[in-house]
Amino acid sequence: MPAARVEYIAPWWVVWLHSVPHLGLRLQRVDSTFNPRDENYQESLLFLGLVAAVCLGLNLVFLTAYLVCVCCCRQDGAVQTKLRRSCCVTWSAVVAGLVCCAAVGIGFYGNSETNDGVYQLIYSLGNANHTFSGIDALVSGTTQEMTVDLERHLARLSEIFAMRGDYLQTLKFLQQMAGNIVAQLSGVPVWTGVTAKLTELADQTGYVEYYRWLSYLLLFILDLVVCFVACLGLARRSRCLLALTLCCGLLALLLSWTALAADTAAAVGASDFCAAPDTFILNMTEDQLSTEVTRYYLYCGQSVSSPFQQALTVFQRSLTTMQIQVAGLLQFAVPMFPTAQNELLRIQLLLNSSESSLQQLTAMLDCRGLHKDYLDALTGICYDGIEGLLFLGLFSLLAALAFSTMICAGLRAWKRCTTRDRDYDDIDEDDPFNPQARRIAAHNPPRGQLHSFCSYSSGLGSQTSLQPPAQTVSNAPVSEYMNQAVLFGGNPRYENTPLIGRGSPPPTYTPSMRATYLSLADEPLRHYGHEFPA
């Protein structure tokens, strides 16, 4: 007697997702019963994806408005305000990076759970296919033995027992019992069509799942790379890295909302199936299997009787009767017809093989094995699979929030870098304290052989053991200023330099810089040594 059925209970998230309103594209209410062939039901799942698309549009509108505000707002010149804004940008980027990393961790868990659930479904389908294929093989093999092999042996025995009417009557009885067995086996369903559909479903599911899992893995890697580039760009204040962050962040944002749309539709559709899986399977198999057979495997328990019990009982009785008749022929007919012994022994081996096949067929037709595969498949979809999809949906939401914040911080940092470079451009390029001028000077050769006053005076001071010049008068003669004007190419910028003639000490330089200044100062000292006595 079959064991009591292990009841399937839908988890709470299946009930919650199944209760989500199903609306068509015209906003009409659609029945939430799982029916993937119905166009209205397909539109209801598509509508859920369009809701995520609308959220994406609102997100892009918000980012566009923020970009306009950042470009149009006037920068405050106060130092504390700039520091406060810089701190706000930094902390926003840090929080966005942490949220993104947490989202990727949640996504990894959800992706693994979904993958485990799907492959548990595929494994259960494989086990069911193995059982169905075994049933078909046993039925076809036994039918072959009863119709072809046994008939051949009985025909030879009929020739041997041609003169004995009682033995011929026994052979006809054996033939009749074999016909009963074949008739009972014909009542067992042929599972070839079911096996083909389950194989196709398993192959398609495995194919889709592989690329789904791989796509999410690449999305996780992209998110982590964008976070790393964003942190590096903000730390180095590189406009190239910030531009790359904005582009990749926008791409990751689009992919996050797209993944959310797909996850939502898949989770709701799977929940509709898991809310009433028995009803859907009964409707799908009514053309290939009888309702009695389907219900026997779906509701396996003591309250449901096996539809194959009578056939198996007749099979067992007929086989036992045939074995008794063959044993009687071996005992009484062989002494008179020794040539019949070989054929009777072969019939006996054939009946023993059929008995073994009967035991295997009884075990395979029992509902407990297939029902366990059915429950395992439901567990894989409705528990692990949908739970993983929920975690993937949470990952998509957190990733969209993180990248929206990261894009806003990147826009603000881009504006600050642009403002800083523009402020540097407003300063004279000849200003030695301008960082922009130093960067330009590193790439441009000097325009002449004349050296700055700092180089000249530094070299002069180096030759006098870094002692200040002897001049103590604060106002140098006019001729001295004129000579120095000629020295510096008549540039009025150096004519009224307050360091000239005031005996100001040279700046402090490293040994390598001092050697460079000494070498540069040799030539001016040779030409103008009489004008600047030590």
Side-chain angles (χ1 to χ4, degrees):
M1 185 68 67
R5 181 200 184 199
V6 179
E7 294 292 337
Y8 161 75
I9 301 176
W12 64 266
W13 52 80
V14 168
V15 179
W16 174 63
L17 290 173
H18 181 63
S19 62
V20 172
H22 290 59
L23 301 176
L25 297 180
R26 298 180 181 178
L27 300 181
Q28 77 277 11
R29 193 65 180 262
V30 178
D31 186 13
S32 60
T33 303
F34 184 71
N35 189 9
R37 297 179 179 179
D38 186 16
E39 293 182 358
N40 293 328
Y41 183 78
Q42 294 175 1
E43 289 182 359
S44 66
L45 297 182
L46 180 61
F47 180 81
L48 296 175
L50 293 179
V51 172
V54 171
C55 295
L56 171 61
L58 294 177
N59 194 355
L60 294 178
V61 169
F62 167 75
L63 293 178
T64 303
Y66 185 82
L67 175 62
V68 173
C69 293
V70 169
C71 294
C72 296
C73 66
R74 187 175 61 182
Q75 296 290 333
D76 190 1
V79 176
Q80 294 182 355
T81 304
K82 291 183 178 180
L83 292 177
R84 189 161 53 248
R85 289 180 178 177
S86 177
C87 183
C88 180
V89 170
T90 302
W91 280 107
S92 298
V94 170
V95 171
L98 293 177
V99 171
C100 182
C101 293
V104 170
I106 294 174
F108 267 111
Y109 175 77
N111 199 33
S112 177
E113 283 292 299
T114 304
N115 186 260
D116 292 342
V118 171
Y119 276 101
Q120 185 174 353
L121 167 64
I122 296 174
Y123 182 76
S124 300
L125 293 178
N127 286 340
N129 271 341
H130 179 73
T131 301
F132 292 143
S133 300
I135 293 174
D136 288 340
L138 289 174
V139 170
S140 61
T142 305
T143 303
Q144 174 76 17
E145 291 176 351
M146 292 292 110
T147 56
V148 179
D149 298 340
L150 181 63
E151 185 68 26
R152 184 175 63 252
H153 296 308
L154 292 177
R156 294 176 181 175
L157 288 175
S158 298
E159 296 176 357
I160 297 173
F161 299 146
M163 303 302 295
R164 293 294 301 267
D166 53 346
Y167 293 160
L168 292 177
Q169 190 67 27
T170 302
L171 296 179
K172 290 181 180 180
F173 183 74
L174 290 176
Q175 190 174 10
Q176 183 181 359
M177 291 296 101
N180 290 337
I181 293 175
V182 173
Q184 296 303 322
L185 291 177
S186 63
V188 177
V190 179
W191 303 95
T192 305
V194 177
T195 303
K197 287 189 175 181
L198 291 181
T199 302
E200 182 182 1
L201 177 61
D203 293 340
Q204 292 180 354
T205 303
Y207 179 81
V208 173
E209 172 59 22
Y210 172 76
Y211 285 101
R212 186 209 62 81
W213 175 85
L214 182 61
S215 299
Y216 269 102
L217 184 62
L218 295 177
L219 180 59
F220 298 151
I221 296 175
L222 175 63
D223 291 350
L224 294 178
V225 169
V226 172
C227 290
F228 176 76
V229 173
C231 294
L232 187 62
L234 291 174
R236 301 188 61 179
R237 297 182 180 180
S238 172
R239 296 180 63 181
C240 295
L241 292 179
L242 288 177
L244 182 61
T245 300
L246 293 177
C247 295
C248 294
L250 184 60
L251 175 61
L253 182 65
L254 295 174
L255 294 178
S256 298
W257 283 110
T258 303
L260 179 62
D263 293 337
T264 304
V268 173
S271 297
D272 293 338
F273 167 78
C274 294
D278 300 340
T279 304
F280 174 75
I281 293 177
L282 283 171
N283 295 332
M284 290 294 295
T285 58
E286 61 182 0
D287 297 336
Q288 297 180 350
L289 299 175
S290 64
T291 305
E292 183 183 6
V293 174
T294 306
R295 292 179 64 88
Y296 171 66
Y297 289 112
L298 293 180
Y299 306 101
C300 181
Q302 296 181 358
S303 59
V304 181
S305 60
S306 172
F308 313 111
Q309 186 63 41
Q310 183 179 358
L312 295 176
T313 301
V314 173
F315 188 176
Q316 179 66 52
R317 291 176 181 176
S318 300
L319 190 60
T320 302
T321 303
M322 293 177 68
Q323 289 176 339
I324 293 174
Q325 295 296 327
V326 171
L329 290 175
L330 283 172
Q331 182 178 1
F332 298 105
V334 170
M336 293 183 294
F337 300 96
T339 57
Q341 182 179 4
N342 188 24
E343 296 297 332
L344 289 174
L345 290 177
R346 291 183 179 181
I347 291 176
Q348 193 175 38
L349 291 175
L350 185 148
L351 294 178
N352 292 336
S353 175
S354 298
E355 184 178 11
S356 176
S357 299
L358 173 62
Q359 296 175 358
Q360 297 180 25
L361 184 62
T362 302
M364 288 185 175
L365 287 175
D366 188 79
C367 65
R368 286 174 292 183
L370 288 173
H371 185 70
K372 180 181 181 301
D373 295 333
Y374 174 62
L375 291 181
D376 290 342
L378 289 181
T379 302
I381 298 176
C382 305
Y383 282 83
D384 295 338
I386 298 181
E387 182 185 5
L389 290 176
L390 290 177
F391 278 103
L392 288 177
L394 179 60
F395 152 75
S396 299
L397 284 176
L398 293 178
L401 176 62
F403 285 115
S404 297
T405 306
M406 195 174 298
I407 290 174
C408 293
L411 292 174
R412 180 67 67 178
W414 178 276
K415 182 65 178 297
R416 291 179 62 249
C417 291
T418 304
T419 304
R420 184 187 63 181
D421 292 343
R422 186 172 61 249
D423 294 339
Y424 284 155
D425 292 338
D426 293 338
I427 303 174
D428 189 358
E429 294 183 358
D430 294 333
D431 187 358
F433 299 101
N434 181 13
Q436 188 75 7
R438 290 197 296 268
R439 290 197 297 268
I440 295 175
H443 299 282
N444 296 333
R447 290 174 293 182
Q449 298 297 328
L450 297 180
H451 309 292
S452 66
F453 180 75
C454 293
S455 300
Y456 174 73
S457 59
S458 174
L460 180 62
S462 300
Q463 293 184 0
T464 58
S465 300
L466 299 179
Q467 295 297 326
Q471 291 89 345
T472 58
V473 182
S474 60
N475 295 328
V478 177
S479 59
E480 180 181 356
Y481 285 117
M482 296 301 294
N483 292 332
Q484 292 174 358
V486 173
L487 175 63
F488 293 100
N491 191 345
R493 179 180 180 85
Y494 297 94
E495 292 179 1
N496 295 324
T497 303
L499 296 177
I500 299 176
R502 295 182 59 183
S504 299
T508 303
Y509 297 100
T510 61
S512 61
M513 295 174 63
R514 184 180 304 169
T516 303
Y517 292 145
L518 287 175
S519 62
L520 293 175
D522 289 341
E523 183 177 354
L525 284 175
R526 287 195 299 268
H527 290 80
Y528 305 104
H530 62 283
E531 297 182 7
F532 297 90

